[in-house]
Amino acid sequence: MNKIQHYVQGQWTTGKEEGTPILDAVTGEAFTSVAIEGLDVPEILNYGRTKGGEVLRKMTFQERGNMLKKLALYLTKRKDAFYDLSYRTGATKVDSWIDIEGGFGNLFANASLRKLFPNQPYHVEGDAIDLSRGGRFMAHHIMVPKKGVAVHINAFNFPVWGMLEKCAVNWMAGVPAVVLPAPSSSYLAEAVARTIIDSGILPEGALQIINGTVKNILDTVESQDVVTFTGSAQTGRLLKAHPRLIQESVPFTMEADSLNASILGEDAVPGTPEFDLFIKEVRKEMTVKAGQKCTAIRRIIVPEKLVDDVQIALAKQLDKVTIGDPRLKEVRMGSLVSHQQVQAVRDSVNDLSKEAQIVYGNLDAIKTIGADANKGAFISPILLRADHPFQNTVIHEREAFGPVSTIMPYKNLDEAITLAQMGKGSLVSSIATNDDTIAKEYVINAASHHGRILVLNRESAKQSTGHGSPLPYLVHGGPGRAGGGEEMGGMRGIKHYLQRTAIQGSPTTITEITGIYQQNAKYKEAPQHPFKYHWEDIQPGMSMKTHNRTFTDTDIINFSNLTWDHFYAHTDITSLDGSIFEKRTAHGYFIISAAAGLFVYPNKGPVSANYGLEECRFLRPLYHNDTIYVRLTCKQKVDRDVASAEHPSGIVKWYAEIFDANTDEKVAFATVLTMVQKKQEVLTEMTDDKINECLYALKEDAKPKWGIMTPQHMIEHLEYTYKIASGEIQDFEIATPEKILEKVHNSLWNYDKFPKNSQFPQLEKDTLDTLKHPDLTTAIEKFKAQRETYLGYFKENPEAKLKNLVFGELNKYESYLLERKHLNHHFEQFNLL
């Protein structure tokens, strides 16, 4: 029997002892084991802090985000193998989808958050704070990656999601992880971790995994580390009280068991969509993952007049739940993770049944499909009913971590809120109602006791992610019994792994530290107009002062007529008495427009588009005959992804200050965003001289760096593609599938090289075409002539579009982009560049 392995200190290893057997939850077969003896925990933690941490901390948020995106795509392509293992945990395909692809989804979601962070390894939080009247002493807050390791102690129910929802966040923050999956399902976590390590996408040390219970894992944690725990409240409290955590002030986040409540609104009577939605949601939350979810509905709180209706309707829904081998399509609920878990649920149900009546299900009898109920860890859904929920308190204290839930009545909404609060804190609550007054009253009064609240009604039902689905952009955690912690939550989650530090100094110094221009900092006069620079060459503080412009009466009146903005201050000077205006006043947006007219560079250049305004303030009115000038300063640069038909670019935020030219008083300011093209420094421009230089250097006996082409085959291939590009050959079907054609077409606009060994659709793989010309010299002459034909065609037909086998329809400019990439690809193939 193979042991589950650990990946620590750069290698896969196993524990020294025989190990604890791990059973298939469906068949009861012992198929692997886990052993941890001999692992050097202090060195494992230190390896992460140094080896993985040093690399991650130096990466920018954009680099980390793109790393996560690449990893998510890599794992998604290999997901099928994980499903086969997941069935062994007792999970159905739907259950496995939540765990596996839900985990990958966390990588995608956190990757997208890179757009909200600066293009640097650390974050600048909030607004600047002026600490002096003169504006020469100020403060800001920065957030830098902690120089520790994230220790994740995970539960058995979601071995993939539980690992990746946490790791995605700490990796995005620049912090490495040591993951400790629960032993009973650690084989699935190991498989995913092995694929991650094999990908080579993460820097070494960013992920280590110990597949087993390590009792001394917290003995050597340090103040820069972060510890997270998902599991029982009892175990969590023991860990939280660990002396080392207290001594080192180590952040500890706990997500514990939770008696989540779902409320049926008084308006949601039988026959309404909300009643049906409620019943389906409860049934789903009872049976998905066989109820082994921290967010499952444990308490069903309904109007007392509807208790019988809910019981009957829910029983009918539960009757449809088939139990058995999760590999079978007809099975809707699999098994629990282990026989130990079955016994734990049985014990909890026996305790609950002392104060509540079992009204559906049987602990001693279960019908299964395709599996032996005795060998597998199977249990029936159990529905209880507690008619006196204020007296029978065990239903608010004891959780059965399986397909178990309890119905209880309420007289009015205040009682429903009180009952929900009697769980002493939960991860999630929900209410099914079509009455927004009821929804508001419940949410506002119950929110103190729940980490998340879902309002379910007919309007949201089709798009609703459901009661039990934590989302990467929302906080996951809850007060009190639920552990008092927070995970995920978009940027909030990432900040848990960053150290917030207040910084003080002059605006100029703070500008240099933050990488964001601060008001009153020294300007860096640009040698030429800032709009002439590419994105890489623009730096915060780069600035220019414009010439002056005087506003006239005619300007203001014309702007009113153009925009139809006839506000009295601009058009009716007889109505100014009692207002803040003294004379005919320039429109605020005319001031901004006039400012743009002063600072915009008119010629074509790297600035490709106006991207919008972030802030705009008018500090005092401007009147006819007032004169202004503008100071334009680069405030901040933000990277962006480009997937459409445009060249790679970033966003530059410009701080536009508008001054009264007579007094130098600042009268308005705005943050203007522009899209600025990045430099193209990857591909060589294919001028006539450069092409001739490469062809002159090409020898008959040259060997390619990749592929099997000879020099003449390469030249004849290029000649053929020029025939396509000049319209001589167009009788073909585009080879790229329609669903990806746009993506492939748009790739012409990026600066990436063609992949080595790219396959041309009309060339047979690993086979050379018959040569058409007698020698290389002739082939080169034919190539040159065909290129001239291509150039001449678009000179005479500048608006033409022609088909390409791979990239679809191309216009003149896109044909140029293809030519540049294609010639670079093959000239580099033969060491000509």
Side-chain angles (χ1 to χ4, degrees):
M1 186 189 304
N2 293 329
K3 289 181 183 177
I4 297 171
Q5 290 193 306
H6 320 284
Y7 186 77
V8 293
Q9 296 175 276
Q11 62 183 355
W12 288 98
T13 186
T14 55
K16 294 179 179 178
E17 78 270 32
E18 183 177 343
T20 304
I22 303 297
L23 308 185
D24 186 305
V26 179
T27 66
E29 167 201 4
F31 69 99
T32 187
S33 64
V34 61
I36 60 167
E37 185 181 343
L39 298 180
D40 190 337
V41 173
E43 285 304 312
I44 291 169
L45 298 183
N46 193 54
Y47 184 83
R49 295 182 192 112
T50 53
K51 185 70 175 180
E54 288 178 1
V55 178
L56 283 172
R57 289 191 295 269
K58 291 177 181 178
M59 296 172 70
T60 66
F61 280 102
Q62 278 65 39
E63 289 170 334
R64 295 178 203 140
N66 285 321
M67 175 184 73
L68 293 192
K69 183 179 179 180
K70 186 177 180 181
L71 181 59
L73 291 168
Y74 184 88
L75 291 172
T76 300
K77 291 179 180 178
R78 293 156 179 81
K79 64 185 179 182
D80 290 344
F82 306 134
Y83 277 89
D84 291 338
L85 272 179
S86 183
Y87 290 131
R88 287 186 177 271
T89 71
T92 65
K93 187 167 185 178
V94 171
D95 298 338
S96 301
W97 179 85
I98 296 169
D99 184 29
I100 295 167
E101 297 187 52
F104 302 164
N106 270 275
L107 293 173
F108 280 118
N110 278 276
S112 70
L113 294 174
R114 67 193 182 278
K115 303 167 188 175
L116 304 179
F117 287 94
N119 189 42
Q120 51 196 22
Y122 52 91
H123 179 51
V124 182
E125 185 184 49
D127 297 323
I129 304 164
D130 186 3
L131 300 176
S132 64
R133 291 185 178 180
R136 296 299 172 187
F137 182 57
M138 62 169 296
H140 223 310
H141 289 89
I142 61 171
M143 302 189 75
V144 300
K146 290 180 178 288
K147 293 189 174 181
V149 66
V151 178
H152 299 311
I153 305 169
N154 291 342
F156 65 79
N157 52 337
F158 288 104
V160 182
W161 185 90
M163 173 169 64
L164 295 182
E165 63 98 356
K166 295 176 180 178
C167 286
V169 179
N170 62 250
W171 289 331
M172 193 63 192
V175 175
V178 176
V179 179
L180 287 83
S184 56
S185 58
S186 58
Y187 50 87
L188 180 52
E190 180 218 31
V192 175
R194 188 177 293 276
T195 305
I196 292 173
I197 298 301
D198 289 347
S199 75
I201 293 170
L202 296 182
E204 172 54 41
L207 172 63
Q208 298 181 88
I209 183 168
I210 303 175
N211 291 296
T213 301
V214 183
K215 294 183 178 179
N216 66 337
I217 188 66
L218 300 184
D219 290 354
T220 54
V221 293
E222 298 178 356
S223 60
Q224 288 288 305
D225 298 331
V226 177
V227 178
T228 73
F229 168 78
T230 301
S232 74
Q234 182 180 6
T235 303
R237 285 191 290 268
L238 289 173
L239 295 176
K240 193 173 185 178
H242 194 287
R244 184 71 176 182
L245 297 184
I246 299 169
Q247 178 185 338
E248 291 284 315
S249 299
V250 179
F252 180 85
T253 296
M254 180 168 73
E255 182 213 311
D257 44 10
S258 175
L259 288 161
N260 310 297
S262 188
I263 287 78
L264 181 66
E266 292 179 275
D267 63 306
V269 297
T272 63
E274 286 68 34
F275 183 88
D276 295 338
L277 290 167
F278 179 79
I279 297 299
K280 290 179 181 178
E281 194 72 14
V282 173
R283 185 263 303 158
K284 181 179 72 173
E285 291 303 319
M286 285 183 66
T287 57
V288 167
K289 265 285 184 176
Q292 299 170 112
K293 290 173 60 182
C294 57
T295 54
I297 295 171
R298 304 300 180 196
R299 296 177 299 149
I300 309 164
I301 302 173
V302 303
E304 59 182 2
K305 64 182 179 181
L306 300 179
V307 170
D308 289 338
D309 295 296
V310 169
Q311 179 181 320
I312 293 168
L314 192 50
K316 288 180 179 178
Q317 284 288 321
L318 292 172
D319 282 340
K320 299 176 184 178
V321 177
T322 49
I323 305 169
D325 187 340
R327 297 170 180 82
L328 301 177
K329 291 182 179 180
E330 61 267 34
V331 168
R332 293 293 175 264
M333 189 177 96
S335 68
L336 300 189
V337 75
S338 65
H339 285 284
Q340 292 89 337
Q341 187 60 25
V342 171
Q343 188 57 50
V345 172
R346 291 174 65 92
D347 291 343
S348 295
V349 171
N350 286 330
D351 281 349
L352 290 169
S353 63
K354 293 174 183 177
E355 295 186 358
Q357 175 188 2
I358 296 178
V359 294
Y360 184 91
N362 191 321
L363 289 176
D364 300 316
I366 182 171
K367 182 180 179 181
T368 56
I369 300 174
D372 188 324
N374 295 318
K375 291 181 178 179
F378 294 99
I379 193 170
S380 166
I382 301 293
L383 181 64
L384 299 102
R385 173 171 169 168
D387 290 329
H388 305 287
F390 288 97
Q391 290 76 42
N392 301 334
T393 57
V394 70
I395 58 176
H396 306 297
E397 298 168 356
R398 184 69 182 265
E399 180 184 28
F401 202 71
V404 181
S405 195
T406 304
I407 301 173
M408 59 194 73
Y410 71 85
K411 287 184 173 65
N412 52 53
L413 191 58
D414 286 341
E415 278 199 1
I417 293 167
T418 301
L419 288 171
Q421 293 172 344
M422 288 177 70
K424 296 183 179 180
S426 79
L427 297 172
V428 57
S429 179
S430 58
I431 182 168
T433 178
N434 199 40
D435 186 327
D436 289 338
T437 302
I438 293 175
K440 178 179 179 180
E441 185 175 351
Y442 178 76
V443 169
I444 299 303
N445 289 286
S448 59
H449 284 61
H450 308 290
R452 175 169 59 89
I453 297 178
L454 165 72
V455 179
L456 184 63
N457 61 24
R458 67 195 72 180
E459 183 180 354
S460 66
K462 287 185 178 180
Q463 285 79 38
S464 173
T465 51
H467 169 102
S469 300
L471 299 175
Y473 298 131
L474 304 181
V475 293
H476 180 51
R481 181 189 179 93
E486 276 191 8
E487 295 173 351
M488 303 193 295
M491 288 184 71
R492 294 172 62 95
I494 294 169
K495 290 179 180 180
H496 292 321
Y497 297 92
L498 302 173
Q499 173 59 47
R500 181 181 288 104
T501 301
I503 55 173
Q504 297 169 280
S506 71
T508 303
T509 300
I510 301 300
T511 293
E512 292 301 314
I513 294 172
T514 61
I516 301 174
Y517 176 78
Q518 308 296 329
Q519 289 190 49
N520 298 317
K522 293 178 181 177
Y523 302 119
K524 300 174 184 176
E525 295 292 345
Q528 58 181 349
H529 196 291
F531 282 17
K532 290 184 177 182
Y533 292 95
H534 285 86
W535 190 79
E536 295 87 345
D537 294 331
I538 298 172
Q539 298 301 324
M542 179 182 282
S543 183
M544 65 164 280
K545 180 182 176 181
T546 71
H547 53 277
N548 295 350
R549 173 172 178 173
T550 300
F551 298 157
T552 66
D553 253 357
T554 304
D555 290 332
I556 299 171
I557 293 169
N558 284 344
F559 193 82
S560 290
N561 293 330
L562 179 66
T563 62
W564 294 7
D565 177 355
H566 298 295
F567 185 65
Y568 76 92
H570 317 309
T571 57
D572 183 7
I573 59 175
T574 65
S575 301
L576 299 181
D577 290 347
S579 73
I580 63 171
F581 307 108
E582 299 173 3
K583 295 183 285 186
R584 189 185 306 281
T585 308
H587 304 68
Y589 295 114
F590 170 63
I591 297 171
I592 294 297
S593 300
L598 290 172
F599 67 68
V600 167
Y601 183 70
N603 297 349
K604 184 177 181 180
V607 174
S608 57
N610 182 339
Y611 204 65
L613 292 174
E614 267 196 349
E615 60 179 346
C616 182
R617 296 289 184 275
F618 306 108
L619 305 179
R620 74 160 173 80
L622 286 172
Y623 305 116
H624 64 91
N625 296 329
D626 280 349
T627 301
I628 65 163
Y629 67 86
V630 180
R631 168 65 72 170
L632 184 72
T633 307
C634 172
K635 181 177 181 180
Q636 185 181 5
K637 294 164 59 180
V638 180
D639 209 346
R640 68 186 288 261
D641 294 329
V642 175
S644 56
E646 59 176 290
H647 289 305
S649 63
I651 302 302
V652 178
K653 299 182 180 182
W654 302 96
Y655 186 51
E657 300 170 279
I658 302 168
F659 293 90
D660 185 320
N662 295 317
T663 64
D664 288 329
E665 176 190 5
K666 188 189 298 186
V667 294
F669 64 87
T671 298
V672 181
L673 281 62
T674 60
M675 197 181 298
V676 181
Q677 192 172 314
K678 295 180 180 179
K679 287 181 178 177
Q680 196 293 105
E681 298 180 313
V682 176
L683 304 168
T684 302
E685 287 299 326
M686 287 292 114
T687 62
D688 290 345
D689 288 345
K690 189 63 184 179
I691 292 173
N692 287 330
E693 176 189 323
C694 291
L695 294 175
Y696 180 79
L698 183 63
K699 305 302 180 185
E700 185 80 48
D701 59 352
K703 302 297 182 184
K705 292 163 65 176
W706 65 83
I708 61 173
M709 279 185 171
T710 67
Q712 187 172 337
H713 280 98
M714 182 267 287
I715 293 297
E716 290 192 10
H717 166 66
L718 292 175
E719 178 198 356
Y720 179 79
T721 57
Y722 273 124
K723 288 183 178 180
I724 294 174
S726 58
E728 291 183 21
I729 299 176
Q730 287 285 287
D731 57 340
F732 56 80
E733 295 296 325
I734 296 169
T736 304
E738 182 68 29
K739 65 180 180 180
I740 63 169
L741 180 59
E742 183 179 7
K743 181 179 179 180
V744 172
H745 173 273
N746 293 344
S747 70
L748 287 175
W749 292 76
N750 65 36
Y751 301 151
D752 299 335
K753 297 178 181 180
F754 283 162
K756 296 177 181 179
N757 295 307
S758 299
Q759 185 66 31
F760 187 68
Q762 291 185 344
L763 291 179
E764 192 172 336
K765 190 174 183 181
D766 300 327
T767 303
L768 289 172
D769 270 4
T770 303
L771 293 172
K772 297 177 178 60
H773 303 304
D775 50 50
L776 178 60
T777 301
T778 304
I780 290 174
E781 291 305 314
K782 294 291 185 181
F783 159 83
K784 289 181 177 179
Q786 192 61 50
R787 182 170 183 269
E788 288 300 319
T789 300
Y790 151 72
L791 295 174
Y793 175 83
F794 276 110
K795 186 175 182 180
E796 294 178 6
N797 305 279
E799 303 299 321
K801 286 188 176 183
L802 295 173
K803 284 191 303 181
N804 178 272
L805 272 163
V806 176
F807 298 97
E809 284 196 344
L810 305 181
N811 60 27
K812 177 182 178 182
Y813 185 71
E814 289 166 337
S815 297
Y816 149 74
L817 295 177
L818 173 56
E819 179 194 31
R820 183 173 68 181
K821 282 200 175 195
H822 199 201
L823 293 185
N824 268 264
H825 177 74
H826 286 296
F827 286 175
E828 184 180 339
Q829 182 184 16
F830 283 89
N831 292 295
L832 303 176
L833 294 176

